[in-house]
Amino acid sequence: MTNYLIRRILTMIITLIVISIITFILIQLPPGDALTSRLQQLQLEGQEISMERIETLRAQYGLDKPLYIQYLRWITGFIHGDMGRSFSHDDLPVNQLIWERIGYTFILTFLSMIFTWVVSIPIGIYSAVKRYTVGDYTFTFLGFIGLATPAFMFALVLMYVAFEWFGVSVGGLFSPEYSVAVWSWGKFVDLLKHAWIPVVVIGTGGVAGSIRILRANLIDELEKPYVRTARAKGVGPIKLLLKYPVRIAINPFISTVGWTLPYLFSGEAIVGIVLSLPTVGPLLLESLLNQDMFLAASFILIISTLTVIGTLLSDILLVISDPRIRYE
């Protein structure tokens, strides 16, 4: 296992280097750059900027250097905790913009993952054990609706229902009195009151797909000889179900933890715009539209790093959940 971990960590480092290079090149592909977009915006506002000022700004941000020099300066600063400055946010440090939002994003992502597992695992087990019953067909129908409904539409429906039926505005993560307040128990409770809407919206698509995966895997396991043998030896139905077939059937949940993170991040982007959430998704989309290369590249590299680390953790958890797996 130790040799496996060493190989995987070395592979992770190489993978992240390649991802960082590709990310930086892709962000540079559209015509113009963030400074050009910023200058056009200033000109539309009626401000005149001399060529000397433009050249000074290009030199300040390193845009007068070759592409590989720009990349080396950015990745070196990134490793040391300096991700550069944002062109589209009044020259604020990228670190400040990211850390302001990434905490809320992690909270919603973690809660959405927990919501997905808590809802889908019991329903998936029920559908597999009681297959072809009214309950199974009902959950299958609801699952297809969940898969077919876009997250942003579901968010709009919940916002309408909450406002029309209960008179509650569910936009944002805080009430107006807590939006700029320091952290306290009241602010934490207010966060939980507002977080359930985005958690349900983001997690619903994952719930629908996870139910189908668990149901199919568990049905396959229940038909295997070891289950019939254990049942014939008098093993209790609950113990037999949870100790062996379910333990194996949930392997896809564990193996895709690393992939779930970017999926939830991408789903959170649109939902974040609809619900006015102070999270990473809307800011990432804005940075891509404005060609804010330092902000966009930093976001993408952070998400890629978390995805690679999550995949490694998934592989380690598979060993714990399924003793048959040995990476040696």
Side-chain angles (χ1 to χ4, degrees):
M1 188 67 177
T2 303
N3 292 334
Y4 169 78
L5 289 176
I6 293 174
R7 292 197 306 269
R8 283 296 302 272
I9 292 173
L10 293 176
T11 305
M12 284 170 51
I13 295 173
I14 297 174
T15 302
L16 291 174
I17 292 174
V18 174
I19 290 174
S20 67
I21 295 173
I22 295 175
T23 298
F24 198 81
I25 292 175
L26 289 177
I27 291 176
Q28 298 283 353
L29 285 180
D33 51 39
L35 183 57
T36 303
S37 302
R38 178 60 176 165
L39 292 175
Q40 291 176 349
Q41 180 181 354
L42 293 175
Q43 289 176 353
L44 290 175
E45 295 174 357
Q47 300 185 29
E48 295 185 3
I49 302 178
S50 64
M51 290 301 300
E52 294 181 358
R53 177 57 176 166
I54 295 175
E55 294 302 322
T56 301
L57 290 174
R58 294 187 64 84
Q60 177 182 342
Y61 292 108
L63 299 177
D64 59 336
K65 305 293 183 182
L67 187 60
Y68 72 93
I69 298 294
Q70 296 182 41
Y71 167 77
L72 290 176
R73 290 179 60 178
W74 169 70
I75 197 63
T76 302
F78 187 94
I79 294 173
H80 290 87
D82 181 10
M83 303 178 190
R85 292 184 172 273
S86 170
F87 294 103
S88 57
H89 290 82
D90 299 324
D91 205 34
L92 288 175
V94 171
N95 306 44
Q96 178 181 340
L97 294 171
I98 289 179
W99 297 124
E100 282 179 351
R101 293 171 175 260
I102 204 166
Y104 297 129
T105 303
F106 272 124
I107 291 174
L108 293 181
T109 301
F110 176 75
L111 293 178
S112 299
M113 188 181 300
I114 297 299
F115 170 79
T116 299
W117 288 17
V118 168
V119 175
S120 61
I121 290 178
I123 294 177
I125 293 174
Y126 174 86
S127 295
V129 175
K130 303 292 185 180
R131 56 186 178 276
Y132 311 130
T133 62
V134 175
D136 179 29
Y137 287 128
T138 301
F139 287 125
T140 299
F141 176 72
L142 294 176
F144 285 142
I145 292 179
L147 286 172
T149 305
F152 72 89
M153 182 180 295
F154 190 28
L156 291 173
V157 170
L158 287 180
M159 290 178 67
Y160 174 80
V161 170
F163 184 77
E164 287 293 326
W165 291 10
F166 303 103
V168 178
S169 176
V170 294
L173 284 180
F174 298 102
S175 301
E177 62 269 22
Y178 286 108
S179 59
V180 294
V182 297
W183 276 101
S184 62
W185 177 252
K187 184 171 183 176
F188 176 72
V189 173
D190 188 67
L191 172 64
L192 295 181
K193 289 180 179 179
H194 287 77
W196 71 271
I197 289 285
V199 166
V200 171
V201 171
I202 297 171
T204 296
V207 166
S210 298
I211 290 174
R212 307 306 304 163
I213 293 173
L214 180 58
R215 179 184 182 277
N217 288 346
L218 189 53
I219 289 175
D220 182 60
E221 289 297 321
L222 291 175
E223 298 298 327
K224 290 185 176 179
Y226 78 88
V227 176
R228 293 195 293 267
T229 301
R231 187 180 295 116
K233 289 184 175 182
V235 179
I238 302 298
K239 180 180 179 181
L240 172 61
L241 181 66
L242 298 180
K243 187 174 182 180
Y244 299 108
V246 170
R247 188 175 178 180
I248 297 173
I250 63 173
N251 279 353
F253 286 76
I254 300 173
S255 64
T256 57
V257 167
W259 305 343
T260 302
L261 186 64
Y263 166 76
L264 292 175
F265 264 78
S266 60
E268 180 272 328
I270 305 301
V271 174
I273 294 173
V274 173
L275 295 176
S276 301
L277 302 178
T279 48
V280 164
L283 189 60
L284 173 58
L285 179 59
E286 179 186 343
S287 65
L288 292 172
L289 294 175
N290 294 330
Q291 294 182 258
D292 196 338
M293 60 180 185
F294 293 128
L295 183 57
S298 298
F299 267 134
I300 295 174
L301 186 55
I302 288 175
I303 295 174
S304 301
T305 302
L306 295 174
T307 302
V308 173
I309 294 175
T311 304
L312 176 61
L313 293 177
S314 298
D315 292 342
I316 296 174
L317 290 174
L318 279 175
V319 176
I320 299 174
S321 67
D322 191 345
R324 300 175 303 171
I325 299 175
R326 291 294 180 266
Y327 289 121
E328 288 83 2

